[in-house]
Amino acid sequence: MARIHDLRLIGRIAQLYFIEKETQSAISRRLNISQATISRLLKRAQEEDIVRITINAPRGTFLDLESALRDRYGLADVIVAEAGEPSEDSVLTAIGAATAHFLETSLQEGEVIGLSSWSASLLRVVDSLHPPKASASRVIQLLGGTGNPSVEKHATHLTLRMAQITGARPQLLAAPGLTRSPEARAVLMEDAFVRETLTQFADVTLALVGIGALEPSQMLSDSGNRLTPQELRELGEAGAIGDMGLRFFDRTGRQVRSSCDDRIIGIDLPQMAAIPRSVGVAGGLRKVEAIRAAMLGGFITHLVTDNHTAQALVSS
């Protein structure tokens, strides 16, 4: 009979808390039971199936998909945005707005933001971003942002605009993301301004990074920071399926090293993995394998993607 009395008490506490909306401290005073016991018995209410908590996901949200991705890939958080159709523009608009909201609501005072260059996804983020309540201290460019003058403005705009909106100081990486030769990279690495930016990578607390498939995006291709067809073929033969900031990895998330690394001026994947919050902002069905590999490699702690891509990620 003792058990039935325990269950009655648990039921009464659950009724007070969930139905009558009393606080745990108020229930403690009412029943003359310690607040720690109240908390423990509320937990038991779920274990005993006295209380069942259901969430009716609002239309346009995908809580189950987010939960499935968090659990499967061990991410701190996943945001799945609704794209009406899997077209590139629809996906970019959806994930851009979702990432902007994430930044507006989660930015901490004094944070150091890192941004990868040449990302259409991140351009949509700054287009959607409103000033957050907290202010960042710096916005650091994580990949060299110089290249074809006709599109170079996009990389510079990305960093400067993010800094302006978040009240931060911009730190540009005034060098190509991909130099013509290792020797050219060595010369640029001697530049005091380039070295200063590179040393600040260790300060980044929140990174927003695009994830690319092996075949580069149009923006990267136009920037002048793209690999040659032969180099891409060699990377593919070595198992590479995607990149973050021109650092390539295979489908298991293992970094694929090549001679191209000797020409890159930007953050490396181990540095990316060490950032407390590293947010992959990517969507589109052509990027599914690359996004999965980035998660498996532990290069990102958070993912913002669209519902079509998320469904593909959990279905295979």
Side-chain angles (χ1 to χ4, degrees):
M1 290 295 292
R3 174 172 167 76
I4 194 65
H5 296 307
D6 282 345
L7 293 178
R8 190 212 66 81
L9 177 60
I10 294 170
R12 175 59 176 146
I13 290 170
Q15 182 185 49
L16 289 169
Y17 186 74
F18 290 105
I19 304 300
E20 301 182 22
K21 305 299 182 184
E22 290 200 19
T23 65
Q24 291 188 31
S25 60
I27 298 170
S28 173
R29 292 192 298 272
R30 176 194 283 260
L31 301 181
N32 200 31
I33 297 173
S34 74
Q35 192 166 332
T37 299
I38 297 296
S39 179
R40 178 174 57 82
L41 292 179
L42 284 171
K43 183 178 180 181
R44 272 195 63 191
Q46 296 180 56
E47 295 170 349
E48 297 282 357
D49 206 27
I50 294 171
V51 171
R52 298 180 184 179
I53 298 176
T54 60
I55 299 174
N56 295 319
R59 183 177 178 84
T61 66
F62 304 90
L63 303 183
D64 290 344
L65 277 176
E66 292 171 353
S67 179
L69 286 170
R70 284 196 305 268
D71 293 345
R72 179 177 294 191
Y73 297 103
L75 299 179
D77 202 7
V78 174
I79 298 171
V80 176
E82 183 177 35
E85 54 187 41
S87 67
E88 182 176 5
D89 187 67
S90 180
V91 167
L92 288 175
T93 298
I95 64 177
T99 306
H101 182 267
F102 165 81
L103 192 61
E104 291 163 12
T105 56
S106 71
L107 184 70
Q108 301 298 303
E109 192 68 33
E111 283 212 82
V112 179
I113 302 172
L115 288 178
S116 60
S117 307
W118 314 113
S119 169
S121 300
L122 298 188
L123 279 173
R124 294 298 181 96
V125 174
V126 298
D127 287 343
S128 302
L129 188 62
H130 299 94
K133 293 181 179 178
S135 297
S137 63
R138 280 169 285 163
V139 175
I140 301 174
Q141 202 167 23
L142 298 178
L143 177 67
T146 64
N148 184 337
S150 67
V151 293
E152 183 179 314
K153 61 182 180 181
H154 292 300
T156 304
H157 165 77
L158 182 58
T159 303
L160 296 179
R161 181 64 178 147
M162 178 68 75
Q164 180 185 36
I165 297 173
T166 60
R169 174 172 60 84
Q171 185 70 40
L172 297 172
L173 183 51
L178 185 69
T179 63
R180 292 184 177 276
S181 66
E183 292 76 18
R185 177 182 184 273
V187 171
L188 287 166
M189 293 290 282
E190 293 299 316
D191 183 271
F193 295 106
V194 171
R195 289 203 311 271
E196 180 185 3
T197 301
L198 295 176
T199 59
Q200 292 185 38
F201 288 172
D203 301 333
V204 174
T205 60
L206 170 62
L208 300 176
V209 293
I211 301 171
L214 183 60
E215 185 63 30
S217 68
Q218 190 62 50
M219 179 179 289
L220 183 61
S221 296
D222 292 343
S223 75
N225 290 281
R226 67 165 296 170
L227 302 174
T228 66
Q230 180 181 349
E231 290 169 328
L232 288 172
R233 186 165 54 251
E234 290 173 357
L235 281 163
E237 291 171 352
I241 63 162
D243 82 290
M244 295 171 66
L246 294 176
R247 305 291 187 175
F248 289 85
F249 43 80
D250 66 16
R251 66 181 60 255
T252 68
R254 179 185 62 86
Q255 185 164 6
V256 176
R257 294 289 187 183
S258 73
S259 59
C260 304
D261 288 294
D262 296 331
R263 295 166 34 205
I264 297 169
I265 299 180
I267 196 167
D268 206 349
L269 292 178
Q271 293 174 295
M272 185 74 70
I275 295 171
R277 288 198 295 164
S278 180
V279 185
V281 183
L285 297 180
R286 75 181 186 90
K287 293 186 177 183
V288 168
E289 290 302 317
I291 294 170
R292 176 183 288 111
M295 294 188 291
L296 290 174
F299 307 133
I300 58 175
T301 59
H302 296 61
L303 173 67
V304 183
T305 192
D306 65 280
N307 53 306
H308 306 287
T309 304
Q311 187 62 60
L313 286 166
V314 302
S315 298
S316 58

